Amino acid sequence: MNSKLLTDRRKGLIKQLKDKGLVIVFAASVSKYPRNFLQDKNFKYLAGLDVPDAILVISKQKKSVMEIFIERGIPEMEVWEGKKLTKAEATEISGIQRISFLDEFERKIGFYLASASSVHANLGYNNIDKPLNKAQNFIDKAKKHFPQLTVTDITKLMIPLRSVKTKWEIEQMQKAIDITGDGIKNIFKKSKIGMMEYELDAILKYEINRNGLKHIGFKSIIASGKNAATLHDEQNDSKIGKDEMALLDVGAACNGYSADISRTFPVSGKFTKRQKEVYSEVLAINKKIIKMVKPGIGMKELNEKTVELIQKSLIKLKLIKDKKDYRKYYMHSIGHHLGMDTHDLGARDSVLEVGNVITIEPGIYIPEEKIGVRIEDDILVTKTGYKNLSENIPKEINELES
Ligand code: GLY
Ligand code: MN
Ligand code: MN
């Protein structure tokens, strides 16, 4: 990724700020045991750096100022932990000239705060019974020192930026989707009755890593038989029984951008009559709703149409008599924005615009028949309508049986 893309993103942010607006974005911290690190998405989006604990400051004054604070490398520690990012490397990646060390932050931030009237920080959200996080603690203190400040969470400013994908972002998502598709096709080929669900996950992960991607975007859901009727069954530790279908809800990540694909297939290679009936209904709804996607349509309209179609299907499948009982077999909504987060920024009732990427994922879940079907595609909103980014991942009955 080149730093020009990051510069454009920051320009988009600054444009939304009032004069004397200040943005402070905290990178994620690392948890040491087990050592894992998942960067804060807003920090990554604006600064591009993958290092923990860094802080980005953007101040809109007559002339806007940007500064990043990073950890100072201590040679004795670097023997154990590896080299820290240097100032020159931070500038090279982020395109920001002014780089300082974290031990200078407290003294320097006072100057920014003293001349600011509003602060936007990635405060995040945690339940009130939990301790304050790093950003919340900092803002708490800043407000006591500088009571003139109004504080808001940065999310509102990030939604219009992150929900409209650039060409580069769409390329990352397409790659994540294509490689996820390779993994799914390999599962179709190699899975057998009697395998454990986690073996299917291993096939997927091997294919993702073998194709040059290190990470998945979210924990795989591999659910056979009645497990498929539990929406977020992430246990993946059941044995696949005779005549069972498996529901795969999976996604690789490419440069931090996630795919989110669901496919449901008969592991034996042949649907039962009833499975085929249910599957056909979900597939038809998946296709109809995808065709509705275009700029200007609301997620609300897509949801309402889905409910109407699901109700008809459930009556046809003799699962309900009264259409208002549909929630028993369909409990979620039609989809969500997709991007750096699997459930990306963008309201569930948003009106779609060119550059949005959303999922379309209808499903019918019948635990008493050990059947759960979800078919999920990733859809880009284009000027003329939509492009199905996952159209090459098989979902037709004859493809799944062959
Ligand atoms: N993988 C979670 C979802 O489809 O929303
Ligand atoms: Mn999914
Ligand atoms: Mn989804």
Short mmCIF file of all heavy atoms in Angstrom, two decimals, residues 50-95:
data_model
loop_
_atom_site.label_atom_id
_atom_site.label_comp_id
_atom_site.label_asym_id
_atom_site.label_seq_id
_atom_site.Cartn_x
_atom_site.Cartn_y
_atom_site.Cartn_z
N ASP A 50 1.54 -1.08 11.76
CA ASP A 50 1.09 -2.28 12.45
C ASP A 50 1.69 -2.42 13.84
O ASP A 50 1.68 -3.50 14.40
CB ASP A 50 1.43 -3.52 11.60
CG ASP A 50 0.25 -3.91 10.74
OD1 ASP A 50 -0.88 -3.79 11.23
OD2 ASP A 50 0.46 -4.32 9.59
N VAL A 51 2.24 -1.34 14.39
CA VAL A 51 2.89 -1.45 15.70
C VAL A 51 1.91 -1.17 16.84
O VAL A 51 0.99 -0.36 16.69
CB VAL A 51 4.08 -0.47 15.81
CG1 VAL A 51 5.19 -0.89 14.87
CG2 VAL A 51 3.65 0.96 15.51
N PRO A 52 2.11 -1.84 17.98
CA PRO A 52 1.22 -1.60 19.12
C PRO A 52 1.50 -0.27 19.81
O PRO A 52 2.62 0.26 19.72
CB PRO A 52 1.54 -2.76 20.07
CG PRO A 52 2.90 -3.22 19.70
CD PRO A 52 3.09 -2.91 18.25
N ASP A 53 0.46 0.25 20.46
CA ASP A 53 0.55 1.38 21.40
C ASP A 53 0.88 2.74 20.78
O ASP A 53 1.00 3.73 21.51
CB ASP A 53 1.56 1.08 22.53
CG ASP A 53 1.09 -0.09 23.38
OD1 ASP A 53 -0.10 -0.10 23.74
OD2 ASP A 53 1.89 -1.00 23.65
N ALA A 54 1.06 2.80 19.47
CA ALA A 54 1.36 4.09 18.85
C ALA A 54 0.12 5.00 18.94
O ALA A 54 -0.99 4.52 19.21
CB ALA A 54 1.75 3.88 17.39
N ILE A 55 0.33 6.29 18.73
CA ILE A 55 -0.78 7.25 18.81
C ILE A 55 -0.68 8.23 17.64
O ILE A 55 0.40 8.78 17.38
CB ILE A 55 -0.75 8.04 20.15
CG1 ILE A 55 -0.73 7.08 21.34
CG2 ILE A 55 -1.96 8.98 20.24
CD1 ILE A 55 -0.46 7.76 22.68
N LEU A 56 -1.79 8.41 16.95
CA LEU A 56 -1.84 9.37 15.85
C LEU A 56 -2.58 10.62 16.32
O LEU A 56 -3.65 10.52 16.94
CB LEU A 56 -2.59 8.75 14.67
CG LEU A 56 -3.00 9.70 13.53
CD1 LEU A 56 -1.78 10.22 12.77
CD2 LEU A 56 -3.97 9.01 12.57
N VAL A 57 -2.00 11.79 16.05
CA VAL A 57 -2.65 13.05 16.42
C VAL A 57 -2.80 13.89 15.15
O VAL A 57 -1.85 14.07 14.39
CB VAL A 57 -1.80 13.81 17.46
CG1 VAL A 57 -2.44 15.16 17.78
CG2 VAL A 57 -1.64 12.99 18.73
N ILE A 58 -4.01 14.38 14.92
CA ILE A 58 -4.25 15.27 13.79
C ILE A 58 -4.95 16.51 14.33
O ILE A 58 -5.99 16.40 14.99
CB ILE A 58 -5.15 14.62 12.71
CG1 ILE A 58 -4.48 13.36 12.15
CG2 ILE A 58 -5.46 15.61 11.58
CD1 ILE A 58 -5.35 12.60 11.15
N SER A 59 -4.35 17.68 14.08
CA SER A 59 -4.91 18.91 14.63
C SER A 59 -5.28 19.83 13.48
O SER A 59 -4.45 20.15 12.63
CB SER A 59 -3.85 19.55 15.53
OG SER A 59 -4.19 20.89 15.78
N LYS A 60 -6.55 20.23 13.44
CA LYS A 60 -6.97 21.15 12.38
C LYS A 60 -6.92 22.58 12.90
O LYS A 60 -7.77 22.99 13.69
CB LYS A 60 -8.36 20.80 11.89
CG LYS A 60 -8.82 21.72 10.75
CD LYS A 60 -10.03 21.14 10.06
CE LYS A 60 -10.54 22.03 8.96
NZ LYS A 60 -11.59 21.38 8.16
N GLN A 61 -5.90 23.28 12.51
CA GLN A 61 -5.78 24.70 12.84
C GLN A 61 -5.72 25.41 11.49
O GLN A 61 -6.11 24.82 10.49
CB GLN A 61 -4.49 24.94 13.64
CG GLN A 61 -4.41 24.13 14.93
CD GLN A 61 -5.24 24.71 16.07
OE1 GLN A 61 -5.67 25.87 16.02
NE2 GLN A 61 -5.50 23.91 17.09
N LYS A 62 -5.21 26.67 11.45
CA LYS A 62 -5.10 27.32 10.15
C LYS A 62 -4.36 26.41 9.20
O LYS A 62 -4.72 26.22 8.05
CB LYS A 62 -4.37 28.67 10.31
CG LYS A 62 -5.35 29.79 10.55
CD LYS A 62 -4.66 31.14 10.59
CE LYS A 62 -5.23 32.01 11.68
NZ LYS A 62 -4.64 31.76 13.03
N LYS A 63 -3.29 25.79 9.74
CA LYS A 63 -2.60 24.78 8.96
C LYS A 63 -2.69 23.49 9.77
O LYS A 63 -2.41 23.50 10.97
CB LYS A 63 -1.12 25.21 8.80
CG LYS A 63 -0.43 24.53 7.66
CD LYS A 63 0.94 25.18 7.39
CE LYS A 63 1.80 24.27 6.56
NZ LYS A 63 2.20 23.04 7.23
N SER A 64 -3.11 22.41 9.13
CA SER A 64 -3.27 21.17 9.89
C SER A 64 -1.91 20.55 10.21
O SER A 64 -0.98 20.62 9.42
CB SER A 64 -4.11 20.19 9.10
OG SER A 64 -5.40 20.71 8.97
N VAL A 65 -1.83 19.97 11.40
CA VAL A 65 -0.59 19.34 11.85
C VAL A 65 -0.87 17.88 12.15
O VAL A 65 -1.92 17.55 12.72
CB VAL A 65 -0.07 20.03 13.13
CG1 VAL A 65 1.24 19.39 13.59
CG2 VAL A 65 0.13 21.52 12.91
N MET A 66 0.07 17.00 11.75
CA MET A 66 -0.08 15.58 12.08
C MET A 66 1.18 15.07 12.73
O MET A 66 2.28 15.45 12.35
CB MET A 66 -0.31 14.78 10.81
CG MET A 66 -1.63 15.05 10.16
SD MET A 66 -1.75 14.13 8.66
CE MET A 66 -2.43 15.40 7.63
N GLU A 67 1.00 14.21 13.68
CA GLU A 67 2.15 13.65 14.38
C GLU A 67 1.82 12.24 14.83
O GLU A 67 0.69 11.96 15.22
CB GLU A 67 2.47 14.55 15.60
CG GLU A 67 3.65 14.10 16.42
CD GLU A 67 4.20 15.22 17.34
OE1 GLU A 67 3.62 16.33 17.34
OE2 GLU A 67 5.19 14.96 18.03
N ILE A 68 2.82 11.35 14.73
CA ILE A 68 2.62 9.99 15.26
C ILE A 68 3.65 9.74 16.37
O ILE A 68 4.82 10.10 16.23
CB ILE A 68 2.80 8.92 14.17
CG1 ILE A 68 1.82 9.13 13.02
CG2 ILE A 68 2.60 7.51 14.75
CD1 ILE A 68 1.93 8.09 11.91
N PHE A 69 3.17 9.15 17.44
CA PHE A 69 4.06 8.77 18.55
C PHE A 69 4.26 7.26 18.50
O PHE A 69 3.28 6.50 18.43
CB PHE A 69 3.42 9.18 19.88
CG PHE A 69 3.29 10.68 20.03
CD1 PHE A 69 2.19 11.35 19.48
CD2 PHE A 69 4.28 11.43 20.67
CE1 PHE A 69 2.07 12.74 19.60
CE2 PHE A 69 4.16 12.81 20.79
CZ PHE A 69 3.06 13.47 20.25
N ILE A 70 5.51 6.84 18.51
CA ILE A 70 5.81 5.40 18.46
C ILE A 70 6.72 5.02 19.63
O ILE A 70 7.33 5.88 20.27
CB ILE A 70 6.49 4.99 17.13
CG1 ILE A 70 7.80 5.79 16.93
CG2 ILE A 70 5.55 5.18 15.95
CD1 ILE A 70 8.62 5.32 15.74
N GLU A 71 6.81 3.73 19.86
CA GLU A 71 7.64 3.24 20.95
C GLU A 71 9.12 3.44 20.62
O GLU A 71 9.53 3.23 19.48
CB GLU A 71 7.35 1.74 21.14
CG GLU A 71 7.70 1.22 22.50
CD GLU A 71 7.33 -0.26 22.64
OE1 GLU A 71 6.44 -0.75 21.90
OE2 GLU A 71 7.94 -0.93 23.47
N ARG A 72 9.90 3.85 21.62
CA ARG A 72 11.33 4.04 21.42
C ARG A 72 12.04 2.69 21.56
O ARG A 72 11.78 1.94 22.51
CB ARG A 72 11.86 5.00 22.50
CG ARG A 72 13.30 5.44 22.31
CD ARG A 72 13.79 6.14 23.57
NE ARG A 72 13.17 7.43 23.83
CZ ARG A 72 13.62 8.59 23.31
NH1 ARG A 72 14.66 8.62 22.52
NH2 ARG A 72 13.01 9.72 23.60
N GLY A 73 12.89 2.35 20.60
CA GLY A 73 13.62 1.08 20.67
C GLY A 73 14.70 1.14 21.74
O GLY A 73 15.45 2.12 21.83
N ILE A 74 14.76 0.12 22.60
CA ILE A 74 15.82 0.05 23.61
C ILE A 74 16.69 -1.15 23.22
O ILE A 74 16.19 -2.29 23.20
CB ILE A 74 15.22 -0.16 25.02
CG1 ILE A 74 14.27 1.00 25.34
CG2 ILE A 74 16.32 -0.30 26.07
CD1 ILE A 74 13.45 0.81 26.59
N PRO A 75 17.97 -0.92 22.88
CA PRO A 75 18.79 -1.99 22.33
C PRO A 75 18.77 -3.28 23.15
O PRO A 75 18.64 -4.38 22.59
CB PRO A 75 20.19 -1.38 22.28
CG PRO A 75 19.95 0.09 22.19
CD PRO A 75 18.68 0.36 22.93
N GLU A 76 18.85 -3.17 24.50
CA GLU A 76 18.87 -4.39 25.33
C GLU A 76 17.57 -5.19 25.17
O GLU A 76 17.58 -6.41 25.23
CB GLU A 76 19.04 -4.04 26.81
CG GLU A 76 20.39 -3.46 27.19
CD GLU A 76 20.46 -1.94 26.98
OE1 GLU A 76 19.64 -1.40 26.20
OE2 GLU A 76 21.34 -1.29 27.57
N MET A 77 16.45 -4.49 25.00
CA MET A 77 15.16 -5.18 24.83
C MET A 77 15.01 -5.73 23.42
O MET A 77 14.39 -6.78 23.21
CB MET A 77 14.00 -4.20 25.11
CG MET A 77 13.94 -3.65 26.51
SD MET A 77 13.66 -4.94 27.72
CE MET A 77 11.92 -5.28 27.44
N GLU A 78 15.56 -5.00 22.48
CA GLU A 78 15.39 -5.43 21.08
C GLU A 78 16.06 -6.76 20.81
O GLU A 78 15.67 -7.49 19.89
CB GLU A 78 15.90 -4.34 20.13
CG GLU A 78 14.97 -3.12 20.10
CD GLU A 78 15.42 -2.03 19.15
OE1 GLU A 78 16.63 -1.91 18.90
OE2 GLU A 78 14.54 -1.30 18.64
N VAL A 79 17.07 -7.12 21.64
CA VAL A 79 17.69 -8.44 21.52
C VAL A 79 16.62 -9.53 21.70
O VAL A 79 16.63 -10.56 21.03
CB VAL A 79 18.80 -8.62 22.59
CG1 VAL A 79 19.35 -10.04 22.58
CG2 VAL A 79 19.90 -7.60 22.36
N TRP A 80 15.67 -9.28 22.59
CA TRP A 80 14.63 -10.27 22.90
C TRP A 80 13.40 -10.10 22.01
O TRP A 80 12.82 -11.09 21.55
CB TRP A 80 14.19 -10.12 24.36
CG TRP A 80 15.28 -10.44 25.32
CD1 TRP A 80 16.17 -9.57 25.86
CD2 TRP A 80 15.63 -11.73 25.82
NE1 TRP A 80 17.04 -10.24 26.67
CE2 TRP A 80 16.73 -11.56 26.67
CE3 TRP A 80 15.11 -13.02 25.64
CZ2 TRP A 80 17.33 -12.63 27.34
CZ3 TRP A 80 15.69 -14.08 26.30
CH2 TRP A 80 16.80 -13.88 27.14
N GLU A 81 13.00 -8.87 21.81
CA GLU A 81 11.69 -8.63 21.19
C GLU A 81 11.77 -8.30 19.70
O GLU A 81 10.74 -8.21 19.04
CB GLU A 81 10.99 -7.46 21.91
CG GLU A 81 10.67 -7.76 23.36
CD GLU A 81 10.05 -6.58 24.07
OE1 GLU A 81 10.01 -5.48 23.49
OE2 GLU A 81 9.58 -6.77 25.20
N GLY A 82 12.98 -8.12 19.19
CA GLY A 82 13.13 -7.71 17.80
C GLY A 82 13.19 -6.19 17.71
O GLY A 82 12.87 -5.49 18.67
N LYS A 83 13.59 -5.72 16.55
CA LYS A 83 13.76 -4.27 16.33
C LYS A 83 12.42 -3.55 16.36
O LYS A 83 11.42 -4.04 15.85
CB LYS A 83 14.39 -4.04 14.95
CG LYS A 83 15.89 -4.31 14.93
CD LYS A 83 16.63 -2.99 14.84
CE LYS A 83 18.14 -3.17 14.98
NZ LYS A 83 18.65 -2.74 16.29
N LYS A 84 12.41 -2.38 16.98
CA LYS A 84 11.23 -1.52 16.92
C LYS A 84 11.27 -0.72 15.60
O LYS A 84 12.33 -0.53 15.00
CB LYS A 84 11.22 -0.53 18.09
CG LYS A 84 11.14 -1.20 19.45
CD LYS A 84 9.78 -1.81 19.68
CE LYS A 84 9.77 -2.58 20.99
NZ LYS A 84 8.90 -3.75 20.97
N LEU A 85 10.10 -0.25 15.23
CA LEU A 85 10.01 0.61 14.05
C LEU A 85 10.82 1.89 14.28
O LEU A 85 10.76 2.47 15.36
CB LEU A 85 8.53 0.97 13.87
CG LEU A 85 8.09 1.57 12.54
CD1 LEU A 85 8.07 0.49 11.46
CD2 LEU A 85 6.69 2.18 12.68
N THR A 86 11.57 2.32 13.27
CA THR A 86 12.32 3.57 13.43
C THR A 86 11.44 4.73 12.95
O THR A 86 10.43 4.53 12.27
CB THR A 86 13.59 3.57 12.57
OG1 THR A 86 13.19 3.49 11.20
CG2 THR A 86 14.49 2.38 12.91
N LYS A 87 11.88 5.96 13.27
CA LYS A 87 11.13 7.13 12.82
C LYS A 87 11.08 7.19 11.30
O LYS A 87 10.04 7.51 10.72
CB LYS A 87 11.79 8.41 13.37
CG LYS A 87 11.58 8.60 14.86
CD LYS A 87 12.12 9.95 15.31
CE LYS A 87 11.81 10.19 16.78
NZ LYS A 87 12.23 11.52 17.24
N ALA A 88 12.21 6.86 10.67
CA ALA A 88 12.24 6.92 9.20
C ALA A 88 11.27 5.91 8.60
O ALA A 88 10.55 6.22 7.63
CB ALA A 88 13.66 6.66 8.69
N GLU A 89 11.21 4.72 9.19
CA GLU A 89 10.27 3.70 8.67
C GLU A 89 8.83 4.16 8.88
O GLU A 89 7.97 3.96 8.00
CB GLU A 89 10.49 2.37 9.39
CG GLU A 89 11.78 1.66 8.97
CD GLU A 89 12.20 0.54 9.93
OE1 GLU A 89 11.73 0.51 11.09
OE2 GLU A 89 13.00 -0.30 9.51
N ALA A 90 8.56 4.76 10.02
CA ALA A 90 7.19 5.22 10.30
C ALA A 90 6.77 6.28 9.28
O ALA A 90 5.63 6.29 8.80
CB ALA A 90 7.09 5.77 11.72
N THR A 91 7.70 7.17 8.92
CA THR A 91 7.39 8.20 7.92
C THR A 91 7.17 7.57 6.55
O THR A 91 6.23 7.90 5.83
CB THR A 91 8.54 9.23 7.84
OG1 THR A 91 8.55 9.97 9.06
CG2 THR A 91 8.35 10.19 6.67
N GLU A 92 8.03 6.64 6.22
CA GLU A 92 7.94 5.95 4.92
C GLU A 92 6.58 5.27 4.73
O GLU A 92 5.94 5.41 3.69
CB GLU A 92 9.09 4.93 4.87
CG GLU A 92 8.95 3.82 3.84
CD GLU A 92 9.69 4.16 2.56
OE1 GLU A 92 10.68 4.91 2.66
OE2 GLU A 92 9.27 3.66 1.49
N ILE A 93 6.11 4.59 5.77
CA ILE A 93 4.84 3.86 5.66
C ILE A 93 3.65 4.82 5.71
O ILE A 93 2.73 4.73 4.89
CB ILE A 93 4.70 2.82 6.80
CG1 ILE A 93 5.80 1.76 6.69
CG2 ILE A 93 3.32 2.14 6.76
CD1 ILE A 93 5.95 0.90 7.93
N SER A 94 3.68 5.76 6.64
CA SER A 94 2.49 6.57 6.90
C SER A 94 2.41 7.82 6.02
O SER A 94 1.33 8.36 5.82
CB SER A 94 2.47 7.01 8.36
OG SER A 94 3.55 7.91 8.60
N GLY A 95 3.56 8.30 5.58
CA GLY A 95 3.57 9.56 4.86
C GLY A 95 3.53 10.76 5.79
O GLY A 95 3.37 11.90 5.34
#
